[in-house]
Amino acid sequence: MFGFSSYGQFTLSGKITNEKNQPLTGSHIHTQYFNTVSNPIGEFEINGLPKGELRVYISYLGYTTCDTLVDITQDVVLNVQLKPSETKLESVTVKQKTAKVSSSLSEQRISKASIERNSSKTLADALKEVPGVSLLRTGTTIVKPVINGLHSSRVPIFSNQVRLEDQQWGTEHAPNFDLNAAGKISVVKGASGLQYSGDAVGGMVIIESTSVKQDTLFGRTIVSGSSNGRGGTISSSIHKGNSAGWRWNALGTFTYFGDRESPDYVLSNSGNRELNFSGDVSYVKENYGLSAFYSLYNAKIGILSASHIGNVTDLYNSINNQIPYIINDFTYSIQHPKQVIQHHLFKLNYLQKLDESSSISTFYSLQFNNRNELDLRLGEDANKAALDLELTTHSLQSDYKKEWNQFTLKTGISGLFQNNFANPRTGVRPLIPTYVRFDAGFYGIGTYEINEDLIVDGGVRYDFSTIEASKDYLKSRWEERGYQDDFADIIVDETANQWRTKPQFTFHNISASLGVRKDFQQDWKWLNNISLSNRNPNPSEFFSDGLHHSTGQIELGDLRLKKEESLKFSSSLSKNGKSFSMEINPFLHYISNFIYLRPIGFETTIRGAFPVWEFQQTNARLFGLDFHSQWNIHSNWQHKFSFAYVNGEDLSESQPLIDMPPMTISTSIQYKKEGWNGLLLELQSESVFRQHRYPDFNFETDIIVDGEFVPVIVDISTPPKAYQLFHFYSEMKFKAFKILDTTIALSVQNMLNTDYRDYLNRQRFFVDEMGRNIQLQLKINY
Amino acid sequence: MKNLKIMALALTAIFTFNSCSNDDSPVVEEELITTLTATFVGGGETITLTSRDADGDGPNAPIITLSGNFAASTNYSGSVQFLNELVNPAENITEEIEEKDLEHQVFYQIPNSLGNFTYSDFDTEGNPLGLEFTFATGANPGTGIITITLRHLPNKNADGVSDGNISNAGGSTDVEVSFPIVII
């Protein structure tokens, strides 16, 4: 058993070589926590290091011992060239670099502490600590990350290299991922990760599960209880590490919440349940490794009762009254409307080292996603889903990596096959039709170290994609869309009032990335990157046609949509000092054929009039700035500050882009005293400004008052006012029963119980956000 | 594309979590209300008001028909019926509303000068349901709009709701139709 009093989250790895760049097998690497020995190719790895300064001694008989200080604030790669001891003592060459997606694009890691704090929340809640990441919400539990103003299909999420295929096109479809299963999370604010994909127009989120390379067995349990929602989460994991041979991990999470509450009323039907599992087994030898991974995400999420509205009169009333029309007493039970989701991910990976400097890694993955959306329905259909989608995705990928002295080459090929099945037995016309999709791609990325402090990298990727759908159009809709002239050839069949069509689309895309990184003295780094990416319209943008019940609007796709082309330039200047660190990250982003939803008028049905929103394309320009700093004022006091601003403009119409996150500022002050059981106190202030730049998509409608039609304006455009929230966090560490390392954390979110609404919450027309929440958390390592 | 389909079927066959077959039949829309018919019997005449929306949520507006004009100072006894005529035979949704009477209420709005509606049927808790009603026309001829609204999950205990006032009713609108009527 392994003492985990010093269990930290960082890894130090690297390669020990001699003056001729030959590996030194059996070099001793000593630190105050762990010692290790380099393997036959000179490589070593030490896991579980805490944050802070670390003295590292590297010795090899006949060579001068290297004694260096490494600042552990993230995973560090330390490549050391030892000099023979006969020669005159000279300073050794120490190179520090981090294992990253791209060496020229700024990448932010989410700390393990943040992952644990958000144990009972969502993936996106943990990502919010990164400046430039905001949250797109539908209620309290459906949360998606927005990176520099973009989200959903533009921000793919990768779990252990596998792109999550979980109907991610929809704004009310949150990532089907259990945050507790994440070991490491990185946010890349651009499309430069070409080894992953060529269509990450907004950026990407890369998640790796915990992997322990030390010979040990340990477990961890986190129990969280929250006052708001009167529920909590229990997550337990067990990890068997090994330097070579068998390693395995298993994790289970259970979440149970009732209705959340805003400061003034219960948010009826906002409870949720989750029951998740993930686990992996791997067998690792010197030259090869084989691993199998499986995860299951299983969730039931209530959709706020008050957001289920009827026609535009209901929408008008809700916006103007500012009070939800359904407020029931608190309950744990989840009624309709609700979402019931299952996501299975299975992956088989094989890594083969070809020689000391090259390796090839191949994986196959299978994902099965079943999304059921249950609505308020009558009679026999009451318990029948209104939307039942089964999405099956197979993917196969092989990556080759070769390192020379100054040059690293990564290249690979990938293929994907996907089948979506929209169950017609729901008795409701599905928003997303049945379809099959086939993708293939290959890429090459090179990184060249011109010298120790100047690195250039560049890459190019080609993607082929074809999709064929089976879609039924109402004949009236077919004509309204004007498809009879352009798409008459895709009709294959007809029923009384519908056309059965087989639309098919094929795309060839080239994406590329080019960047340079320059290191200056005194811990300054300057990164510049330009990336070109393409995103094909997703099935919802092509095929949507019908009433979206949760928003009370008719959404119409368009078969004529073209792919989006994006060009993003981003620059990052950072300083990583002992007492002060900061990063400033400006960007400029052009997207041609940018797809967005825009209101175009009304349609009258027997249920009344509904606003019609159509997917349209325009040329968009975004620019913005993210900044964060960390100042260690004193050994006990720390100050953190972050700022994010994005400005989106529709260039074709000369007006602001819709749904751009408002400016945010976050400040926190932290007091830490190791001597007092690791006492940590933190106070955070979060200020969200009002979004002043928004397009006016308000529309006029007639509502009936006293038997007369009265024209009114439905204000769907005006963003809510600015708000400021205060959050508190505290923790202490104990040894329970003398052996169990235990942390108790008490935190309060929205301390002042402030009433507010957020521009990026799709339910802002109906309810206030959640009020004060007090959370008690217990973490045990054993 | 043939090959792609064969591949699709082969690969899906390998991996089926649910026993669901890849049923590719067109969706038959259920529980959709396409048609509202309100019948008024009084003064020796029967007047029907119909709104028929044959394409449901599709782009075409409902077609509204009125069989005749109302007479002044007359009491009509009325009833309303909701149908889904997209299925054959037509599905009578009215029965399901009667079953779930606590969750529904039909509202009738008309300018006071033209007449007023009174509920004739009630749910199991004694609150109005509104599938049956009486309509008393005013003493003077005129024109105006009758709006018939079916609300799902209204707050039946809110102020004025049992008298047929929709303003505090809340809930979501399943049907809302306006008929321009003439009183002679």
Side-chain angles (χ1 to χ4, degrees):
Chain A
M1 208 69 172
F2 187 79
F4 259 82
S5 53
S6 56
Y7 178 67
Q9 66 265 42
F10 298 109
T11 299
L12 175 74
S13 59
K15 190 172 181 176
I16 315 299
T17 51
N18 65 12
E19 74 285 3
K20 289 168 190 154
N21 268 326
Q22 290 158 338
L24 287 176
T25 307
S27 311
H28 286 265
I29 297 103
H30 294 260
T31 71
Q32 69 178 100
Y33 304 106
F34 313 111
N35 305 321
T36 188
V37 173
S38 63
N39 70 12
I41 56 167
E43 288 177 351
F44 72 96
E45 187 168 291
I46 299 175
N47 293 291
L49 290 169
K51 191 173 183 159
E53 218 164 57
L54 180 73
R55 178 147 242 139
V56 185
Y57 302 93
I58 299 163
S59 58
Y60 191 83
L61 194 64
Y63 287 78
T64 309
T65 295
C66 164
D67 170 3
T68 183
L69 269 178
V70 180
D71 202 17
I72 307 278
T73 53
Q74 51 187 347
D75 289 350
V76 171
V77 177
L78 180 72
N79 294 328
V80 176
Q81 199 175 45
L82 293 178
K83 304 265 161 136
S85 52
E86 297 87 42
T87 58
K88 216 179 145 206
L89 283 177
E90 280 175 276
S91 64
V92 292
T93 321
V94 175
K95 259 198 300 191
Q96 276 194 33
K97 65 178 180 187
T98 317
K100 295 183 74 175
V101 173
S102 156
S103 48
S104 68
L105 190 68
S106 147
E107 175 183 333
Q108 263 88 29
R109 281 273 161 88
I110 310 300
S111 63
K112 191 77 194 166
S114 171
I115 295 174
E116 290 179 354
R117 275 189 204 188
N118 288 299
S119 169
S120 62
K121 292 193 183 164
T122 68
L123 171 67
D125 284 298
L127 300 178
K128 199 187 161 192
E129 71 167 40
V130 174
V133 175
S134 29
L135 306 182
L136 178 73
R137 293 175 177 279
T138 305
T140 42
T141 38
I142 301 178
V143 195
K144 308 194 79 173
V146 181
I147 300 179
N148 288 154
L150 303 172
H151 59 84
S152 298
S153 291
R154 298 185 183 101
V155 179
I157 292 168
F158 296 87
S159 165
N160 288 314
Q161 290 178 288
V162 180
R163 183 184 184 132
L164 284 182
E165 291 289 347
D166 52 1
Q167 307 278 7
Q168 66 274 26
W169 38 264
T171 53
E172 70 287 12
H173 300 179
N176 293 171
F177 184 81
D178 174 16
L179 177 64
N180 293 286
K184 280 184 212 162
I185 309 178
S186 321
V187 172
V188 184
K189 297 180 195 167
S192 73
L194 294 176
Q195 66 269 46
Y196 291 97
S197 83
D199 67 350
V201 169
M204 48 182 87
V205 177
I206 293 161
I207 305 163
E208 287 167 51
S209 51
T210 309
S211 167
V212 185
K213 288 164 190 161
Q214 191 103 18
D215 189 2
T216 175
L217 175 70
F218 71 96
R220 190 178 56 137
T221 296
I222 302 179
V223 185
S224 316
S226 296
S227 64
N228 202 331
R230 305 182 205 174
T233 295
I234 177 162
S235 178
S236 229
S237 61
I238 185 156
H239 307 270
K240 166 69 181 147
N242 214 336
S243 51
W246 292 97
R247 293 176 195 157
W248 52 266
N249 303 282
L251 174 133
T253 303
F254 174 66
T255 299
Y256 193 95
F257 275 96
D259 290 339
R260 266 69 169 196
E261 288 165 58
S262 78
D264 304 321
Y265 42 79
V266 174
L267 302 168
S268 287
N269 207 38
S270 61
N272 68 309
R273 318 270 188 266
E274 270 184 43
L275 184 61
N276 307 321
F277 170 81
S278 69
D280 70 292
V281 180
S282 53
Y283 183 74
V284 183
K285 278 289 180 193
E286 242 167 58
N287 290 322
Y288 66 93
L290 186 65
S291 66
F293 172 87
Y294 170 75
S295 73
L296 167 66
Y297 171 87
N298 208 341
K300 185 156 100 176
I301 304 169
I303 305 292
L304 187 78
S305 303
S307 71
H308 182 94
I309 57 159
N311 59 30
V312 72
T313 313
D314 298 346
L315 179 64
Y316 172 79
N317 288 335
S318 187
I319 291 173
N320 284 45
N321 297 340
Q322 290 279 302
I323 289 178
Y325 77 84
I326 296 181
I327 302 174
N328 294 325
D329 290 338
F330 171 87
T331 172
Y332 283 103
S333 80
I334 298 175
Q335 306 296 325
H336 299 179
K338 66 184 176 196
Q339 299 181 353
V340 180
I341 306 157
Q342 275 203 344
H343 189 87
H344 302 260
L345 192 161
F346 171 75
K347 182 193 172 195
L348 203 59
N349 191 97
Y350 180 72
L351 173 85
Q352 174 73 54
K353 282 188 180 160
L354 302 173
D355 55 49
E356 280 165 21
S357 63
S358 64
S359 62
I360 187 158
S361 173
T362 304
F363 75 81
Y364 163 75
S365 75
L366 172 60
Q367 295 178 77
F368 178 74
N369 186 278
N370 185 204
R371 163 173 286 269
N372 280 284
E373 295 187 1
L374 292 99
D375 215 332
L376 290 165
R377 302 179 76 179
L378 278 168
E380 293 154 20
D381 288 340
N383 288 310
K384 203 193 255 186
L387 183 72
D388 175 359
L389 301 176
E390 290 167 21
L391 182 69
T392 311
T393 311
H394 305 259
S395 58
L396 193 62
Q397 184 168 328
S398 192
D399 301 282
Y400 170 81
K401 187 177 172 182
K402 167 90 181 162
E403 288 175 33
W404 287 274
N405 207 3
Q406 287 175 295
F407 187 69
T408 305
L409 173 74
K410 284 190 269 185
T411 179
I413 54 167
S414 63
L416 174 144
F417 176 79
Q418 188 172 71
N419 177 26
N420 189 50
F421 170 60
N423 192 339
R425 280 174 286 181
T426 57
V428 176
R429 298 162 42 74
L431 276 168
I432 297 298
T434 292
Y435 70 81
V436 288
R437 188 181 123 197
F438 175 75
D439 289 358
F442 62 87
Y443 71 88
I445 303 168
T447 307
Y448 183 65
E449 293 185 41
I450 297 169
N451 55 46
E452 274 165 30
D453 49 23
L454 186 64
I455 301 173
V456 289
D457 71 356
V460 63
R461 181 181 174 104
Y462 164 78
D463 284 290
F464 165 81
S465 180
T466 180
I467 179 169
E468 190 193 56
S470 175
K471 164 87 185 162
D472 296 311
Y473 281 95
L474 285 172
K475 287 178 179 173
S476 55
R477 177 66 67 205
W478 184 257
E479 274 163 40
E480 180 272 329
R481 297 276 82 196
Y483 288 159
Q484 68 274 30
D485 300 328
D486 302 354
F487 297 99
D489 56 324
I490 65 170
I491 294 174
V492 293
D493 203 355
E494 74 172 300
T495 54
N497 63 342
Q498 295 189 95
W499 295 116
R500 161 62 56 98
T501 66
K502 298 262 180 205
Q504 194 206 328
F505 301 94
T506 300
F507 297 95
H508 300 271
N509 296 337
I510 301 279
S511 36
S513 168
L514 185 68
V516 58
R517 167 183 159 160
K518 171 79 183 154
D519 289 21
F520 299 95
Q521 286 189 339
Q522 287 166 341
D523 322 309
W524 286 91
K525 262 189 317 199
W526 189 32
L527 278 62
N528 288 290
N529 178 279
I530 186 158
S531 47
L532 171 76
S533 55
N534 297 276
R535 185 181 72 88
N536 303 331
N538 64 38
S540 118
E541 291 159 343
F542 272 137
F543 307 120
S544 281
D545 90 278
L547 187 60
H548 210 284
H549 288 270
S550 65
T551 50
Q553 62 195 34
I554 291 171
E555 290 180 5
L556 300 179
D558 193 339
L559 297 176
R560 302 180 184 91
L561 292 177
K562 304 274 179 288
K563 68 187 176 196
E564 273 183 2
E565 290 170 312
S566 139
L567 190 65
K568 183 171 184 176
F569 172 74
S570 94
S571 182
S572 153
L573 181 67
S574 63
K575 177 185 162 63
N576 211 342
K578 232 182 223 172
S579 67
F580 184 74
S581 310
M582 61 77 94
E583 178 173 354
I584 184 162
N585 182 192
F587 67 91
L588 176 63
H589 197 172
Y590 283 97
I591 306 170
S592 55
N593 297 326
F594 180 78
I595 303 171
Y596 71 109
L597 259 182
R598 174 183 188 138
I600 53 161
F602 273 99
E603 277 176 10
T604 306
T605 74
I606 197 163
R607 285 193 263 194
F610 290 89
V612 180
W613 293 64
E614 182 188 77
F615 284 103
Q616 291 194 355
Q617 296 195 296
T618 188
N619 293 323
R621 185 269 296 134
L622 293 93
F623 69 80
L625 181 79
D626 303 330
F627 174 83
H628 72 96
S629 66
Q630 181 176 325
W631 178 29
N632 303 323
I633 308 169
H634 176 264
S635 57
N636 301 124
W637 292 91
Q638 189 187 68
H639 173 267
K640 282 188 199 164
F641 175 83
S642 71
F643 166 87
Y645 173 74
V646 54
N647 178 307
E649 179 82 1
D650 177 337
L651 296 177
S652 315
E653 307 251 338
S654 299
Q655 65 179 10
L657 284 180
I658 193 169
D659 288 343
M660 286 290 126
M663 185 163 81
T664 54
I665 290 177
S666 162
T667 315
S668 72
I669 187 129
Q670 182 185 303
Y671 177 80
K672 197 173 182 177
K673 183 99 176 173
E674 286 294 347
W676 298 351
N677 286 41
L679 174 72
L680 191 152
L681 302 169
E682 189 183 276
L683 187 66
Q684 191 200 350
S685 142
E686 183 187 353
S687 307
V688 176
F689 289 71
R690 183 162 177 267
Q691 178 57 275
H692 287 286
R693 291 177 43 80
Y694 60 93
D696 184 354
F697 289 155
N698 292 345
F699 51 83
E700 201 182 271
T701 184
D702 290 329
I703 64 167
I704 297 150
V705 181
D706 294 332
E708 304 284 338
F709 285 113
V710 178
V712 291
I713 301 280
V714 184
D715 183 3
I716 51 163
S717 304
T718 310
K721 56 185 195 294
Y723 62 89
Q724 184 174 28
L725 306 178
F726 292 94
H727 312 296
F728 171 74
Y729 179 83
S730 63
E731 67 169 43
M732 280 180 108
K733 293 186 167 68
F734 300 93
K735 274 235 185 278
F737 311 113
K738 297 197 171 141
I739 46 158
L740 300 178
D741 282 293
T742 307
T743 306
I744 293 183
L746 176 76
S747 60
V748 187
Q749 289 103 47
N750 191 1
M751 282 169 75
L752 304 180
N753 212 15
T754 306
D755 280 321
Y756 68 104
R757 296 193 180 200
D758 190 271
Y759 183 48
L760 294 188
N761 193 333
R762 303 258 291 179
Q763 294 183 346
R764 74 186 153 96
F765 300 132
F766 315 110
V767 287
D768 288 341
E769 297 283 331
M770 224 167 87
R772 184 188 296 126
N773 179 34
I774 301 167
Q775 180 182 288
L776 190 66
Q777 198 174 55
L778 189 68
K779 285 183 261 186
I780 309 166
N781 287 315
Y782 41 88
Chain B
M1 263 313 95
K2 260 255 155 63
N3 290 340
L4 213 97
K5 259 204 101 173
I6 292 164
M7 222 165 112
L9 287 170
L11 283 166
T12 338
I14 296 168
F15 189 80
T16 30
F17 273 86
N18 293 20
S19 54
C20 251
S21 65
N22 251 12
D23 180 354
D24 203 20
S25 56
V27 172
V28 177
E29 291 194 83
E30 297 162 7
E31 304 308 326
L32 185 80
I33 298 171
T34 59
T35 312
L36 174 152
T37 309
T39 313
F40 297 77
V41 183
E45 270 193 276
T46 301
I47 299 164
T48 52
L49 312 183
T50 309
S51 169
R52 182 172 282 120
D53 194 358
D55 71 344
D57 295 338
N60 294 344
I63 294 163
I64 288 173
T65 49
L66 294 88
S67 70
N69 296 330
F70 290 89
S73 301
T74 308
N75 281 335
Y76 292 89
S77 71
S79 64
V80 68
Q81 193 180 38
F82 302 96
L83 299 175
N84 176 7
E85 294 186 311
L86 285 183
V87 291
N88 195 8
E91 187 182 8
N92 190 347
I93 312 281
T94 327
E95 290 161 13
E96 279 159 17
I97 295 167
E98 276 174 329
E99 273 168 39
K100 300 263 177 183
D101 54 1
L102 294 173
E103 294 180 4
H104 293 93
Q105 186 170 343
V106 188
F107 293 88
Y108 300 87
Q109 289 166 275
I110 189 164
N112 288 333
S113 59
L114 292 182
N116 67 289
F117 283 87
T118 327
Y119 288 114
S120 329
D121 60 342
F122 299 88
D123 66 21
T124 47
E125 288 182 359
N127 288 315
L129 176 59
L131 293 173
E132 284 164 28
F133 55 87
T134 55
F135 174 48
T137 51
N140 303 314
T143 58
I145 296 162
I146 292 183
T147 302
I148 305 178
T149 309
L150 172 65
R151 282 279 168 94
H152 189 198
L153 294 173
N155 179 2
K156 289 195 171 191
N157 297 315
D159 196 26
V161 173
S162 58
D163 301 328
N165 184 346
I166 198 169
S167 21
N168 297 319
S172 65
T173 305
D174 280 353
V175 172
E176 183 185 289
V177 183
S178 296
F179 296 97
I181 60 149
V182 179
I183 295 178
I184 48 169

